[in-house]
Structure formats: structure tokens, C-alpha cells
Amino acid sequence: MERGLDCLRPGEGGIVTRVDPALADALARLGLIPGTTLRCLRRCPLGDPAVYRFRATDLALRGRDAAKIRVSSVEAADAPRDDSPGREDGNDP
Amino acid sequence: MIHSVALAGNPNVGKSTVFNALTGLRQHTGNWTGKTVDPARGGWSLEEARYEAVDLPGVYSLAGGSPEERVAARWLEANSPETLVVVLDATALERSLGLALELRAAHPRLVICLNLMDEAERLGLELDTEALSEALSAPVVPTRADRKQSYERLRRVIAARAATRDAPIPVPAGNPILEAARIAAAVTRQPGRPRRDWDRLLLGKRSAWPLLLALLFAVFYLTVRGANLPSALLERALNRLGELLGRRMGGLPEGMKSLLLDGIYGTTARVTAVMLPPMAIFFPLFSLLEDLGLLPRAALLLDRPFAACGSCGRQGLCMCMGCGCNAVGVTGCRIIPDGKERLAALLTNALTPCNGRFPTLILLAGLLLGRAASPVETAAFLTLCMLLSAAVTLALTALLRKTVLRGREGVFSLELPPLRRPRLGRLLVRSLLDQTLRVLGRALTVAAPAGALIWLLGRLRIGDQALLPLLARGLDPAARLLGLTGPLLLAFLLSFPANELLLPLALLITGAGEPAVLFSAHTALCAAVFTLFHWPCSTTLQTVWHETKSPKWTLLALLLPSAVGVLLCALTRTLLILLS
């Protein structure tokens, strides 16, 4: 199932399938390219922006921009590998 | 023999710290993206050879179009340094490797500095540096801020690299991101434990805003509380020094003596006494928040309200910087990528009260209460001032973005660096010596000539009337409309060179002994509003000019806050009259 990154709930993971060309360059520099596994860590108290974690990076994106990134779901078992420091299961209570 | 060296690396990998350790410079570093925009220069000597180093801005890649990336890419192209040191974050290897791989393709003479090893150790992370060196075909030097020897080793490896004459063969990069993931996985012997998740608290639904407010209050409380006593002591000491100087100058003509003592020395001493103690506390506190990595969190929280006004959370960071000094805040607006959003932030920065205005606000807090205010009350008043200033900044930003700076909203992405343990010793030295003394020095170089000028103005007469009281009387009708008095408005106008001058000036114009007698309850409130919102000081305005190179925007930066101040003061006065 493919959907916008903004639809990810805190704690949910996804694999990036497509990035809108308007954002692609800026995000590729940070390592966010199609194929990247990421996870939504939390939303800000006012609901926006949300924080996503990939490749040991925590990046905040607004819903408006996140909607331009498509992700496919991952099974819980394939959720982001816990192979680097900084990755953990923190999300909104 | 002079060798050229350049340091490159992602933002937030401690590159500036490495650079400072190598060169012995004290470049300001901050735990957020985009702190260093201009390349810094320094150097060191090792065994008869001299090494001239440049610290390039932190970038993720050289291919992008951000200002930092252009600066870094252009510099590398133009200078092609003999040795390129790539600083990697050991705790986030996968993502810092991308840049190393990209650089390797064009600048093969690399030295890899594997930084933040102390943090990696704390997390239990183990890396195979030999495998990494092999994978990158470059020497790898692990460094850690708590061990000086590690930088010594880096110097030696740089020397060895510079001495080898054979040119290494460039390695064409495949997809650097995928390649980086492969190498990182291969050299990680033992993955580290996850960091403690402070963001659960710092960005939590119920805790985030109260924490942010408490932090703001705490900074003000500590500043006010800590500055009280030293301010009084300093004032007494400087007065004593003035008396001593007076006795020494016995031989000088009376007028000369008065110019030197009452004019130049008096103004400079008063500015120092009111300004130095709060600044010496505020700047280290601010650096502490910066070092911890709390500022990007604040920017993230603030993004929603700023987005509603057509700006972004980074503007909040610029306001924080402006709280120290508006000129710094204006320069800081460079961290906002979108041109129009940046201009809006730049034009409204003077609406954030800077350190130079704190003494006035602290005095007014007491006057408004009608008694000596406790530090808690004063800090609460300052917090309130900040909130008011933030609200006005937001409103004005929205107005600008709907009129002269209309445009599409830029993309907002903000990296949250891990919270880092600050190094207090270095932090104190840096904020006290670098920031405090620099800002104080600038204020004093303004205060001394301004003191002389004010003294002269005080002596000037037109016919049989003294000039300053005459001017003050002339301004009085206009000042009354703003709920101020003629002398106060004149003091505001004359303190254009530096906000710190306001109180000394008002005293001089009226000849009053202490500032409290200058205000009634009504004028105190209006003066507080006008202190928050009026024209930027000359240094800030000059910085706006420097940043925009546009007479139009510089003029607007002058007029906009002035108009806001006049409007709000007139409004406050009307309300006060209606209420009483």
C-alpha cells in the first residue's frame, strides 16, 4: 500500500518509493532517496511538523512537504534496522 | 614550506571543534545546522613546515545549491588544497560517509578525521578504523574532544599526507548514499546503544510548551538575579575610579576635565556597569542551550505558529540570537534558505529586545510595580516582554508576507542533532571572551565618542537657552502623544548608536540624579513598549545594509519597527487615559 509520508503515524515505518522533484535534491543530500527505510518518530505538540528518522538522522518535515513523498508500508519485522546509535523506539506517549 | 589544508564535513559533526583544536583559534561553534557560513582561516606549524587551514561550511554534498554548498564547492574548485581533511561523525557514520565518498572522487588526497569518538565510546559503539581506511583508501584518525593528543596525531597524519608526492588516483563515486550504507555496515563491529530519548519530553504533547516557557524564564531569572550584585559593585568601583581620575587631572582646565570625566568616562562607566554583568551571564547561558542542541528543538516547536504567518521556525532561532544582539540576529537570518522568508525575518529582528535594552526593561519592571521588584518578578516581566515581542513579530511577519514579501512558502526541513553534553570550560571561555567582550567593546567604542558628543550638546546654547532642554521641550508635544516625555523621546533618538545609552542620556538631558524620577506610572509603561519596539540601533541597521545591499530594505528595517513602536505607544497611552 502506497501513501504520503504525512500519513505515517508516530511509531510507524515505511520505505520511500518516490520523492517529488521539488524536494528530491534537498532530501537526497540528507540521504533520503527512494529505497530509504524511515520511521515517523513523533509529531510536534501542535500537530505539525513531524520528526522522521533514517540513516541515524532525525529530520523534521511539515505535513505539506511530507505529502510529496510517497512511502510503502513495511511489516513490523522489517522496520528500520537497529544498527546505529540514535535509533530507538521512542514515540509519542 | 607552506601546505594548504581544508576541513570539510557535514554540519554538526564537530568540524569547528576540530578546526579550533588544530589551529588554536576560538571559532564560535554551535550545535545546529548552518552555523558556519564563511570559511574560517587558521594555521599551525609542525617541524619547520607551516600549515594554512580553511574550515569550510558544513555541507552534506557539494552538488546542491544552498549558500554553504556553493561557498564550499567554489572554494575547493578555486584553491584545490594539498590535503583535504574530511570530518566524520563516528556516531552517524553512514550519513557522514556520503560526503567523504563524493569528495574522494574529485580531491583524492584525503585524511579522514573520525570525530566524536568519546560519544561513540559512551554509546558502546565500536568501529573498525582499519577497514574504514581501506574502504576509503585514506588514512583514518579517530579524534575526541577530551583528548588533546588525538589532534596531535591528526596534525602528524596531515603532515605525512602532505609530504607524499604521489598523486592518489581519484575513485569515481557510484551512488554515494548506497555506498555509504554498505561501508558503514561493513566497518561497524559493535552497534551502539540507542541514545536517551529526551525529545519525548522536549517535544512531548504536554511538556514541550511549558518547558520552553520555563527555559525562557530561567534564562532571564538567572541573568537578573546574577547581575544585581555585580552591577552595583561595578558601579561603585567605577565611580571610585572616576574620583581618582579626577584628582589626577587636577592640572587640566576645568572644561577639559569635565569633558573627559563627566562626558567620556561617565558615559562609558555607566554603560559598562549596566551592561557587562547581565551580558556576562546571558551569553554563557545562551551558549549552553546552543551546545546542548536545544535551539533546533525550540525552532521546531515554533514552526507551526511561524508557518501560519508565512515564515518558518528558523526565524525563532534568529530571534533568540537577536535577544543577545540584533546585529547578530540579522546575520543569523542566513540560516533561512527561502529569500523572502529571510528578508521578513531580517526586517523584524529589531522587534526582539536585545541585551542592550535589558537594563532599561529591568529598571522599568520595578517602576511599574511601584517598588523594588524581586528577581522572580523582573524575570516574569522580561518573559512577558519576550512573548509580546514574539506576538508582534509574528503579526508583522504575516503582514510582510501578505504584502511586499508575498510568495510561495519554502520547503521546511530541519535536522535535529542529538543532544550533546556541553563542555563547560570551553563554553565559558568562548562566550565570555568572544561574545561578551566583543559586544562590550563595540558598545564602549560607541559610548566614548557618544559621551563626548552628549557632553558637548549639553553645553551648547542657543541665545541664552541650553540646547538639549530646548530640543526636549520641542519634542514634548510629539512625545506626549506617545505617552512619553520630551527628554525621554530625545534620549531614545540620541541612543541610536547603542541602546545601552538610553538611561545615561535621559539622566544627562534632565540633569536628574537617578533614573526612577524620569518616569511616572504611565510613562513607564509607554517607555517599556517603546523600548521593545523602536528603530534598530546603528550597528543593526548597518548589518541589514550589509546583508541586503538594498537602500529600500534598509530603510524599511528602520521605518517598520519605528512605526510599530509609535502605533503601540499611542494605543497604550489612549488605553491608559480611557482607563484612568
Side-chain angles (χ1 to χ4, degrees), chain A residues 39-83:
Chain A
R39 194 154 50 92
C40 175
L41 288 188
R42 57 177 53 82
R43 286 182 186 287
C44 280
L46 296 174
D48 201 39
V51 184
Y52 303 93
R53 178 169 289 173
F54 57 91
R55 301 183 203 280
T57 303
D58 286 359
L59 186 76
L61 288 171
R62 287 181 186 161
R64 214 178 52 112
D65 299 324
K68 295 178 185 150
I69 300 166
R70 306 294 294 173
V71 289
S72 63
S73 337
V74 276
E75 292 304 311
D78 315 328
R81 306 152 298 156
D82 256 334
D83 65 348

Side-chain angles (χ1 to χ4, degrees), chain B residues 109-320:
Chain B
R109 212 185 277 271
L110 295 190
V111 169
I112 304 295
C113 166
L114 195 56
N115 197 29
L116 300 175
M117 283 304 276
D118 38 350
E119 218 169 295
E121 194 172 277
R122 270 203 295 281
L123 296 169
L125 173 71
E126 278 174 43
L127 297 172
D128 185 344
T129 49
E130 264 164 44
L132 182 63
S133 167
E134 216 160 280
L136 292 172
S137 46
V140 173
V141 186
T143 52
R144 41 193 301 164
D146 58 347
R147 268 190 219 146
K148 282 221 171 74
Q149 308 93 294
S150 62
Y151 298 109
E152 199 46 53
R153 226 194 113 217
L154 181 58
R155 280 204 197 109
R156 294 195 178 278
V157 172
I158 292 171
R161 195 66 170 168
T164 46
R165 286 291 113 215
D166 60 314
I169 308 145
V171 183
N175 183 333
I177 298 169
L178 299 181
E179 181 83 341
R182 195 186 58 74
I183 296 177
V187 304
T188 305
R189 269 204 229 123
Q190 171 73 50
R193 285 182 299 277
R195 286 194 172 88
R196 213 163 151 183
D197 188 20
W198 288 104
D199 283 346
R200 186 190 290 257
L201 200 67
L202 292 170
L203 298 173
K205 264 203 174 58
R206 271 174 291 275
S207 51
W209 287 102
L211 270 176
L212 186 67
L213 217 59
L215 208 64
L216 195 64
F217 176 82
V219 168
F220 288 138
Y221 175 77
L222 291 173
T223 304
V224 172
R225 176 90 220 213
N228 268 345
L229 184 66
S231 258
L233 288 178
L234 199 60
E235 196 175 348
R236 223 180 309 155
L238 288 171
N239 280 345
R240 182 103 24 103
L241 184 65
E243 282 164 27
L244 263 168
L245 281 174
R247 251 174 273 149
R248 274 296 174 87
M249 286 187 221
L252 288 175
E254 237 1 81
M256 187 63 164
K257 199 171 138 188
S258 172
L259 168 68
L260 289 174
L261 268 187
D262 303 335
I264 297 175
Y265 180 80
T267 310
T268 316
R270 241 169 280 151
V271 167
T272 314
V274 296
M275 201 181 150
L276 183 59
M279 215 162 53
I281 297 170
F282 180 85
F283 277 135
L285 278 179
F286 187 74
S287 298
L288 179 70
L289 300 185
E290 200 180 322
D291 257 28
L292 278 168
L294 289 179
L295 295 187
R297 268 99 187 153
L300 184 57
L301 274 182
L302 290 170
D303 184 61
R304 191 65 205 271
F306 276 104
C309 300
S311 180
C312 69
R314 283 172 210 262
Q315 189 178 351
L317 280 184
C318 304
M319 288 167 62
C320 288

